[in-house]
Amino acid sequence: NDTGGIWRHVENDETKPMYRGLRTNLPRELMAFREKPWGGDGISDSYVTHKAVNSYLQEYATDFDLKRHISFGCTVTQLTILDDEPNVPKIIGDDDDDISCSKIALTWKDDSSSTSTTKEFDAVLICNGHYA
């Protein structure tokens, strides 16, 4: 229950496609978030280990105080689009027009206590797949 996801190697954990000597197949300069550059000094390796990726993700979460916004060990049970409560988020791109959209109600259950929580959000990211 921490940031890092797939990059948190646990010895002999067969549920993750991770192994001790793994290095990335992309240079870290391409993997970095825009607001936290990583590498590019011309000295250190660009193709880093899983430990380096995990450390970078941990630092990013700490630097930007993200963990307070994350609920670990939870299962989403309901996502509802609230048509009667419009929200106007700023979409970043070539066009400066605002796009009007609805707020979203998200309900999740804490896997350890079975407590359910519902909150409203302006947007929701759905991260699924093999490495989610």
mmCIF file of all heavy atoms in Angstrom, residues 7 19 22-28 30-31 46-50 53 131:
data_model
loop_
_atom_site.group_PDB
_atom_site.id
_atom_site.type_symbol
_atom_site.label_atom_id
_atom_site.label_comp_id
_atom_site.label_asym_id
_atom_site.label_seq_id
_atom_site.Cartn_x
_atom_site.Cartn_y
_atom_site.Cartn_z
ATOM 1 N N TRP A 7 6.774 -0.999 -9.889
ATOM 2 C CA TRP A 7 8.208 -0.787 -9.695
ATOM 3 C C TRP A 7 8.680 -1.152 -8.297
ATOM 4 O O TRP A 7 9.867 -1.122 -8.021
ATOM 5 C CB TRP A 7 8.563 0.664 -10.029
ATOM 6 C CG TRP A 7 8.274 0.950 -11.463
ATOM 7 C CD1 TRP A 7 7.219 1.659 -11.960
ATOM 8 C CD2 TRP A 7 9.012 0.496 -12.589
ATOM 9 N NE1 TRP A 7 7.268 1.673 -13.321
ATOM 10 C CE2 TRP A 7 8.368 0.971 -13.740
ATOM 11 C CE3 TRP A 7 10.172 -0.270 -12.744
ATOM 12 C CZ2 TRP A 7 8.830 0.706 -15.019
ATOM 13 C CZ3 TRP A 7 10.628 -0.526 -14.025
ATOM 14 C CH2 TRP A 7 9.962 -0.047 -15.143
ATOM 15 N N TYR A 19 11.822 -8.414 -11.748
ATOM 16 C CA TYR A 19 12.908 -9.260 -11.282
ATOM 17 C C TYR A 19 14.065 -8.394 -10.836
ATOM 18 O O TYR A 19 14.146 -7.205 -11.169
ATOM 19 C CB TYR A 19 13.341 -10.275 -12.353
ATOM 20 C CG TYR A 19 13.662 -9.669 -13.694
ATOM 21 C CD1 TYR A 19 14.962 -9.272 -14.002
ATOM 22 C CD2 TYR A 19 12.671 -9.494 -14.646
ATOM 23 C CE1 TYR A 19 15.259 -8.710 -15.232
ATOM 24 C CE2 TYR A 19 12.967 -8.934 -15.875
ATOM 25 C CZ TYR A 19 14.260 -8.553 -16.173
ATOM 26 O OH TYR A 19 14.555 -7.993 -17.377
ATOM 27 N N LEU A 22 16.264 -6.026 -13.228
ATOM 28 C CA LEU A 22 15.537 -5.320 -14.286
ATOM 29 C C LEU A 22 16.005 -3.880 -14.456
ATOM 30 O O LEU A 22 16.210 -3.153 -13.481
ATOM 31 C CB LEU A 22 14.038 -5.317 -13.972
ATOM 32 C CG LEU A 22 13.187 -4.606 -15.016
ATOM 33 C CD1 LEU A 22 13.064 -5.458 -16.261
ATOM 34 C CD2 LEU A 22 11.826 -4.274 -14.458
ATOM 35 N N ARG A 23 16.173 -3.480 -15.720
ATOM 36 C CA ARG A 23 16.426 -2.083 -16.093
ATOM 37 C C ARG A 23 15.325 -1.672 -17.059
ATOM 38 O O ARG A 23 14.759 -2.501 -17.764
ATOM 39 C CB ARG A 23 17.781 -1.929 -16.772
ATOM 40 C CG ARG A 23 18.933 -2.063 -15.809
ATOM 41 C CD ARG A 23 20.257 -1.659 -16.459
ATOM 42 N NE ARG A 23 21.285 -1.594 -15.447
ATOM 43 C CZ ARG A 23 21.567 -0.503 -14.733
ATOM 44 N NH1 ARG A 23 20.905 0.613 -14.937
ATOM 45 N NH2 ARG A 23 22.509 -0.528 -13.817
ATOM 46 N N THR A 24 15.047 -0.391 -17.100
ATOM 47 C CA THR A 24 14.004 0.101 -17.989
ATOM 48 C C THR A 24 14.421 -0.061 -19.449
ATOM 49 O O THR A 24 15.604 -0.115 -19.764
ATOM 50 C CB THR A 24 13.719 1.596 -17.725
ATOM 51 O OG1 THR A 24 14.914 2.338 -17.968
ATOM 52 C CG2 THR A 24 13.242 1.815 -16.309
ATOM 53 N N ASN A 25 13.435 -0.110 -20.336
ATOM 54 C CA ASN A 25 13.732 -0.147 -21.764
ATOM 55 C C ASN A 25 13.486 1.215 -22.410
ATOM 56 O O ASN A 25 13.525 1.359 -23.622
ATOM 57 C CB ASN A 25 12.938 -1.245 -22.475
ATOM 58 C CG ASN A 25 11.441 -1.033 -22.386
ATOM 59 O OD1 ASN A 25 10.970 -0.151 -21.681
ATOM 60 N ND2 ASN A 25 10.701 -1.869 -23.078
ATOM 61 N N LEU A 26 13.231 2.205 -21.577
ATOM 62 C CA LEU A 26 13.120 3.606 -22.000
ATOM 63 C C LEU A 26 14.086 4.430 -21.161
ATOM 64 O O LEU A 26 14.262 4.156 -19.974
ATOM 65 C CB LEU A 26 11.714 4.150 -21.756
ATOM 66 C CG LEU A 26 10.595 3.658 -22.639
ATOM 67 C CD1 LEU A 26 9.261 4.174 -22.127
ATOM 68 C CD2 LEU A 26 10.806 4.080 -24.074
ATOM 69 N N PRO A 27 14.685 5.454 -21.747
ATOM 70 C CA PRO A 27 15.553 6.309 -20.930
ATOM 71 C C PRO A 27 14.723 7.079 -19.902
ATOM 72 O O PRO A 27 13.602 7.494 -20.177
ATOM 73 C CB PRO A 27 16.200 7.248 -21.940
ATOM 74 C CG PRO A 27 15.414 7.129 -23.176
ATOM 75 C CD PRO A 27 14.661 5.840 -23.141
ATOM 76 N N ARG A 28 15.291 7.261 -18.738
ATOM 77 C CA ARG A 28 14.558 7.940 -17.669
ATOM 78 C C ARG A 28 14.176 9.358 -18.044
ATOM 79 O O ARG A 28 13.196 9.893 -17.543
ATOM 80 C CB ARG A 28 15.350 7.907 -16.376
ATOM 81 C CG ARG A 28 16.633 8.695 -16.406
ATOM 82 C CD ARG A 28 17.295 8.615 -15.068
ATOM 83 N NE ARG A 28 18.650 9.133 -15.146
ATOM 84 C CZ ARG A 28 19.414 9.264 -14.101
ATOM 85 N NH1 ARG A 28 18.970 8.920 -12.912
ATOM 86 N NH2 ARG A 28 20.626 9.734 -14.215
ATOM 87 N N LEU A 30 12.844 10.280 -20.701
ATOM 88 C CA LEU A 30 11.522 10.200 -21.331
ATOM 89 C C LEU A 30 10.439 9.806 -20.328
ATOM 90 O O LEU A 30 9.267 10.116 -20.522
ATOM 91 C CB LEU A 30 11.529 9.197 -22.482
ATOM 92 C CG LEU A 30 12.337 9.579 -23.706
ATOM 93 C CD1 LEU A 30 12.276 8.465 -24.749
ATOM 94 C CD2 LEU A 30 11.842 10.884 -24.301
ATOM 95 N N MET A 31 10.812 9.099 -19.288
ATOM 96 C CA MET A 31 9.853 8.641 -18.287
ATOM 97 C C MET A 31 9.513 9.732 -17.267
ATOM 98 O O MET A 31 8.501 9.633 -16.574
ATOM 99 C CB MET A 31 10.411 7.421 -17.543
ATOM 100 C CG MET A 31 10.616 6.215 -18.423
ATOM 101 S SD MET A 31 11.448 4.869 -17.559
ATOM 102 C CE MET A 31 10.243 4.430 -16.336
ATOM 103 N N SER A 46 21.000 6.374 -18.297
ATOM 104 C CA SER A 46 19.634 6.712 -18.682
ATOM 105 C C SER A 46 18.690 5.540 -18.475
ATOM 106 O O SER A 46 17.519 5.727 -18.186
ATOM 107 C CB SER A 46 19.581 7.145 -20.153
ATOM 108 O OG SER A 46 20.149 8.417 -20.316
ATOM 109 N N TYR A 47 19.199 4.332 -18.653
ATOM 110 C CA TYR A 47 18.388 3.132 -18.488
ATOM 111 C C TYR A 47 18.621 2.616 -17.070
ATOM 112 O O TYR A 47 19.640 2.008 -16.781
ATOM 113 C CB TYR A 47 18.754 2.093 -19.558
ATOM 114 C CG TYR A 47 18.430 2.604 -20.932
ATOM 115 C CD1 TYR A 47 19.357 3.335 -21.663
ATOM 116 C CD2 TYR A 47 17.166 2.384 -21.487
ATOM 117 C CE1 TYR A 47 19.038 3.833 -22.918
ATOM 118 C CE2 TYR A 47 16.847 2.875 -22.740
ATOM 119 C CZ TYR A 47 17.794 3.600 -23.452
ATOM 120 O OH TYR A 47 17.464 4.097 -24.685
ATOM 121 N N VAL A 48 17.659 2.903 -16.212
ATOM 122 C CA VAL A 48 17.848 2.715 -14.774
ATOM 123 C C VAL A 48 17.160 1.447 -14.261
ATOM 124 O O VAL A 48 16.333 0.853 -14.940
ATOM 125 C CB VAL A 48 17.344 3.949 -13.995
ATOM 126 C CG1 VAL A 48 18.168 5.172 -14.338
ATOM 127 C CG2 VAL A 48 15.870 4.206 -14.288
ATOM 128 N N THR A 49 17.489 1.078 -13.034
ATOM 129 C CA THR A 49 16.905 -0.095 -12.397
ATOM 130 C C THR A 49 15.505 0.200 -11.874
ATOM 131 O O THR A 49 15.105 1.363 -11.742
ATOM 132 C CB THR A 49 17.769 -0.558 -11.211
ATOM 133 O OG1 THR A 49 17.708 0.458 -10.194
ATOM 134 C CG2 THR A 49 19.214 -0.822 -11.632
ATOM 135 N N HIS A 50 14.795 -0.869 -11.534
ATOM 136 C CA HIS A 50 13.462 -0.708 -10.940
ATOM 137 C C HIS A 50 13.550 0.055 -9.624
ATOM 138 O O HIS A 50 12.648 0.812 -9.275
ATOM 139 C CB HIS A 50 12.777 -2.060 -10.734
ATOM 140 C CG HIS A 50 13.512 -2.991 -9.833
ATOM 141 N ND1 HIS A 50 13.427 -2.922 -8.472
ATOM 142 C CD2 HIS A 50 14.354 -4.004 -10.098
ATOM 143 C CE1 HIS A 50 14.182 -3.853 -7.926
ATOM 144 N NE2 HIS A 50 14.760 -4.536 -8.907
ATOM 145 N N VAL A 53 13.547 3.757 -10.443
ATOM 146 C CA VAL A 53 12.208 4.217 -10.848
ATOM 147 C C VAL A 53 11.321 4.350 -9.613
ATOM 148 O O VAL A 53 10.640 5.356 -9.431
ATOM 149 C CB VAL A 53 11.564 3.260 -11.872
ATOM 150 C CG1 VAL A 53 10.137 3.698 -12.197
ATOM 151 C CG2 VAL A 53 12.398 3.181 -13.144
ATOM 152 N N TYR A 131 0.003 -3.212 -15.902
ATOM 153 C CA TYR A 131 0.910 -2.519 -14.987
ATOM 154 C C TYR A 131 0.202 -1.546 -14.059
ATOM 155 O O TYR A 131 0.833 -0.744 -13.406
ATOM 156 C CB TYR A 131 1.994 -1.782 -15.776
ATOM 157 C CG TYR A 131 2.842 -2.761 -16.557
ATOM 158 C CD1 TYR A 131 2.737 -2.848 -17.922
ATOM 159 C CD2 TYR A 131 3.731 -3.602 -15.900
ATOM 160 C CE1 TYR A 131 3.504 -3.748 -18.634
ATOM 161 C CE2 TYR A 131 4.498 -4.513 -16.594
ATOM 162 C CZ TYR A 131 4.381 -4.573 -17.963
ATOM 163 O OH TYR A 131 5.119 -5.465 -18.656
#
